[in-house]
Amino acid sequence: MGEGKLTGYPSVDKPWLKYYSEEAINAPLPRCTAYELIRCGNDGHLNDIALIYFDRKITYRQLFAGIESAAKAFAALGIAQGDIVILCMVNMPETVYALYALDRLGAVANLIDPRTNTEQLRNYITECDAKIILTVDITYNAIEKAAKDTTVEKIVVVSPAESLPLAKRIAYRLKNKAPSFSKDVTCWGDFIAVGTCTVPDYAPYEQNRCFIIAHTGGTTGVPKGVMLSDDNLNAVTHGYRYLNIPFNRQDRYFNDLPPFIIYGLAIAIHTTLCYGLQVILYPKFEPKEFPRLFKRYRPNHFSDGADHLIYLMREIEEHQLDVSHLITAGFGGDILDPKVECSINTCLKEHGCQYEIVKGYGMTETCATTTTTTTITFQGANAAGSVGIPLVSNTVKIVEMDTGSEQGYDRVGEIWISSPSVMLGYYKNPEETKKSIVIDEIGNRWIRTGDLGRMNKDGSLFHEGRIRRIYVTTFEGQPAKIFPSLIEEIVESIPDIYSCIVVGRHMKDSTYYEPVGYIVLNENHRPVQELVKELRLVCSEQLPTYMRPVEYRFMQNIPHTPIGKVDFRALERMAVEEEE
């Protein structure tokens, strides 16, 4: 496929199909629930290991039993098809049980970041009229405040120690004092006990029924709920089946990506379980800790951020680690410098790994992976600096932003994606859905990504930056996004300030960013020291900690490009140079 005469347009030629077999191109997509796809892949292997949580190993038989018990408990509390349950959880077995239990009932899992502030938690609760919240214990106090005088009838609290072996569970509880709970709170054990005698009314598969709501700031930082179906999740899993990546049954996959980040759910939990892997669940996203965990678990696969890779490479080189057991070292979330990519591949090869790193591109609205490279390189399919080729059922085109016309090969424009994994839409937000999803003249649905890119004649996609600026940072051990436009709007609300531009600068010894604000003042402004105090106060009141500028710099004029646009690249360079 894809070897005929090219028209010059990637979405028509689909040059990436030359890497796939006719069987892959013509294979039907799964038509079942997400739970059924996992069940189908493992019914004959119930004694295989499904989850590893610290020293606890959970078989597929135990996994399905845990899902069944959770489904009975939710049903006993009145949860049925179409109901929305908030899950404010981290990576732990109970999270997996709850997710697929809700899928069995035809209910919706609304995935919330445990670091969300009380005000935003309350917005999420009132938006979906949630009756039940499942939360990790460390978030309980914020949840309790947010749920007051809302539709919430029951809060189920789960300790990260719940599935630990007995000795470690006792040690954890001695070290970590549990919060005081109100009368409306139920612990996990009591929650499960409620459903012991319940016979749930399981929902049959229904095409395009919402299963997951995952929240994203998109390109503006305003939270939107992305509605994803069983079909969306299963389409991504289907796509991985035909990549040249050796996912072998009972391979070990290390997962510290939280479930509220859709890659952590769609790939690191759902796809891996569908293929019978052993999923190592780790509840914290800690790049500096990753080398220690890598040595402890010796995973065959992992997917993480650039910092994880960098810290691991240092450990490999300093201690001459043997990494011959490693098959996929996955990277996503940002652009990887080709020089860094080359050095990582060299390091892996020199220490026994026969595969190159796997890079990919996707977004919450496409249920994670849209394009990816493979571990076994086909000529042209793993080009340095690229983010790979589309999954077999996906189509990518590059669109000229002003005219809306498709661009040819190696021309930069906005990345548009048509895929069975494209979201159903934004929850209760038809206006934003209409802005993001375009239906063409033959009925194909395209998601406008807001990202710039180009595609070469081999079908490899190159990410060239964002139309609207977003920087990835880390806060309390988890990844987070900085939206400069939000910061700028707050800063410019102060009367003495004429304009503000915020750019990101790499944090020390990290690939993550911290925000730096460049400010132009009005005439007759107050003293700068007084203004800085007010800036810090206003930002502390209106922005999350990780989005507050670490530094304010005052200038006469903001630099512009020759065509009159703000020169963000110049400001980014200045942020680094002036710091040095």
Side-chain angles (χ1 to χ4, degrees):
M1 289 295 294
E3 295 289 353
K5 185 177 180 181
L6 299 179
T7 67
Y9 298 103
S11 74
V12 179
D13 300 331
K14 299 185 178 181
W16 56 84
L17 290 182
K18 65 186 176 184
Y19 302 111
Y20 294 104
S21 67
E22 288 290 338
E23 176 193 1
I25 294 167
N26 297 312
L29 291 162
R31 295 300 180 196
C32 60
T33 67
Y35 169 80
E36 288 168 345
L37 196 63
I38 291 180
R39 189 89 207 200
C40 178
N42 293 286
D43 259 348
H45 307 273
L46 294 178
N47 292 325
D48 284 354
I49 302 300
L51 305 174
I52 298 174
Y53 186 65
F54 294 92
D55 295 330
R56 172 91 182 277
K57 293 183 178 179
I58 298 168
T59 66
Y60 278 92
R61 188 186 308 279
Q62 292 168 322
L63 169 65
F64 295 136
I67 294 169
E68 176 80 4
S69 295
K72 288 182 175 182
F74 280 124
L77 294 178
I79 296 301
Q81 184 168 336
D83 288 336
I84 299 176
V85 175
I86 287 178
L87 302 188
C88 194
M89 299 286 285
V90 295
N91 272 339
M92 44 205 287
E94 292 72 24
T95 306
V96 182
Y97 302 154
L99 276 166
Y100 291 102
L102 293 172
D103 191 41
R104 294 204 71 189
L105 297 172
V108 180
N110 192 346
L111 306 180
I112 306 296
D113 184 340
R115 301 166 299 174
T116 305
N117 63 41
T118 302
E119 181 180 355
Q120 187 57 53
L121 284 170
R122 189 174 181 84
N123 290 339
Y124 288 145
I125 292 168
T126 55
E127 180 183 51
C128 69
D129 295 326
K131 295 179 182 178
I132 296 179
I133 299 177
L134 188 71
T135 182
V136 65
D137 59 7
I138 57 174
T139 310
Y140 168 72
N141 290 330
I143 290 285
E144 182 191 32
K145 292 177 184 177
K148 188 176 181 181
D149 298 324
T150 67
T151 54
V152 173
E153 298 172 359
K154 183 69 66 179
I155 299 173
V156 180
V157 176
V158 190
S159 166
E162 187 69 40
S163 287
L164 291 178
L166 181 59
K168 287 201 170 186
R169 194 185 319 154
I170 293 171
Y172 176 90
R173 287 174 175 164
L174 288 173
K175 183 178 179 181
N176 300 275
K177 184 179 178 181
S180 299
F181 301 136
S182 72
K183 63 181 181 180
D184 294 327
V185 170
T186 301
C187 69
W188 178 262
D190 292 339
F191 166 68
I192 293 299
V194 166
T196 303
C197 298
T198 303
V199 179
D201 184 12
Y202 292 126
Y205 163 74
E206 183 180 325
Q207 189 173 2
N208 294 327
R209 181 179 64 206
C210 182
F211 164 36
I212 297 290
I213 297 177
H215 295 271
T216 175
T219 54
T220 64
V222 178
K224 296 189 289 288
V226 176
M227 297 188 294
L228 300 169
S229 66
D230 293 287
D231 303 291
N232 294 148
L233 264 73
N234 290 343
V236 175
T237 299
H238 172 84
Y240 269 77
R241 183 176 299 280
Y242 298 102
L243 292 170
N244 202 7
I245 295 177
F247 276 163
N248 304 304
R249 172 166 286 278
Q250 291 297 277
D251 278 354
R252 297 179 304 280
Y253 189 109
F254 180 84
N255 176 30
D256 65 348
L257 289 168
F260 52 83
I261 292 179
I262 201 61
Y263 190 100
L265 170 59
I267 309 301
I269 292 178
H270 185 61
T271 296
T272 52
L273 290 177
C274 284
Y275 297 145
L277 274 63
Q278 301 181 39
V279 181
I280 302 160
L281 295 175
Y282 193 72
K284 292 185 178 181
F285 187 83
E286 298 179 315
K288 290 184 179 179
E289 280 290 294
F290 181 60
R292 178 183 66 81
L293 297 167
F294 181 86
K295 288 187 290 184
R296 174 181 176 180
Y297 291 109
R298 292 179 58 81
N300 307 111
H301 311 270
F302 71 85
S303 293
D304 266 308
D307 278 11
H308 284 70
L309 285 170
I310 291 169
Y311 285 121
L312 180 60
M313 293 311 113
R314 290 176 185 170
E315 186 76 10
I316 291 171
E317 291 176 338
E318 288 176 12
H319 299 281
Q320 297 300 302
L321 294 185
D322 174 22
V323 293
S324 57
H325 57 87
L326 186 61
I327 298 173
T328 60
F331 165 81
D334 212 337
I335 302 170
L336 189 62
D337 185 281
K339 292 180 181 178
V340 175
E341 179 184 342
C342 182
S343 66
I344 291 173
N345 285 332
T346 300
C347 177
L348 290 174
K349 184 176 182 180
E350 289 176 348
H351 292 85
C353 179
Q354 60 179 305
Y355 306 107
E356 295 182 342
I357 59 171
V358 175
K359 306 160 291 175
Y361 168 77
M363 55 196 301
T364 306
E365 289 88 340
T366 62
C367 202
T369 305
T370 296
T371 69
T372 185
T373 60
T374 64
T375 48
I376 302 173
T377 304
F378 294 107
Q379 185 176 0
N382 199 7
S386 80
V387 289
I389 59 173
L391 301 187
V392 66
S393 300
N394 295 352
T395 302
V396 173
K397 67 179 176 180
I398 308 300
V399 174
E400 208 284 321
M401 289 172 290
D402 292 332
T403 65
S405 60
E406 182 170 0
Q407 298 280 71
Y409 295 104
D410 293 311
R411 298 287 300 276
V412 174
E414 184 179 11
I415 302 169
W416 286 26
I417 299 162
S418 181
S419 167
S421 69
V422 169
M423 67 174 182
L424 302 174
Y426 294 118
Y427 182 65
K428 290 186 176 179
N429 199 337
E431 294 82 8
E432 287 298 322
T433 300
K434 190 174 181 179
K435 290 178 186 177
S436 297
I437 295 179
V438 177
I439 301 177
D440 66 20
E441 62 277 3
I442 59 173
N444 293 321
R445 297 171 78 245
W446 295 88
I447 186 83
R448 302 182 59 173
T449 67
D451 291 331
L452 296 171
R454 61 182 174 85
M455 179 168 281
N456 68 14
K457 291 182 180 180
D458 283 316
S460 287
L461 180 67
F462 293 78
H463 187 278
E464 300 288 350
R466 304 187 188 276
I467 296 172
R468 301 174 182 87
R469 296 161 294 138
I470 305 175
Y471 298 98
V472 179
T473 189
T474 182
F475 178 65
E476 293 184 353
Q478 303 289 0
K481 290 181 179 179
I482 297 168
F483 299 97
S485 59
L486 283 183
I487 308 170
E488 291 161 359
E489 182 179 350
I490 289 168
V491 170
E492 289 176 356
S493 69
I494 296 174
D496 300 76
I497 293 175
Y498 175 73
S499 67
C500 172
I501 299 295
V502 173
V503 296
R505 154 180 94 195
H506 280 302
M507 300 163 69
K508 188 175 182 181
D509 298 324
S510 175
T511 58
Y512 292 112
Y513 289 87
E514 58 189 7
V516 176
Y518 283 90
I519 293 172
V520 176
L521 297 172
N522 287 317
E523 293 183 7
N524 304 317
H525 59 79
R526 285 174 288 165
V528 169
Q529 288 184 332
E530 184 180 333
L531 277 173
V532 169
K533 286 182 180 179
E534 183 174 354
L535 281 165
R536 298 199 185 284
L537 176 62
V538 169
C539 288
S540 68
E541 291 174 342
Q542 299 187 46
L543 291 169
T545 303
Y546 57 84
M547 218 183 290
R548 299 168 193 165
V550 297
E551 189 177 347
Y552 297 99
R553 296 179 178 174
F554 297 88
M555 52 198 325
Q556 293 295 319
N557 295 289
I558 298 292
H560 286 73
T561 65
I563 60 173
K565 295 185 178 182
V566 173
D567 194 338
F568 297 108
R569 299 302 181 203
L571 290 173
E572 288 172 343
R573 289 193 298 270
M574 290 166 60
V576 175
E577 292 166 359
E578 292 174 19
E579 181 191 33
E580 293 173 350

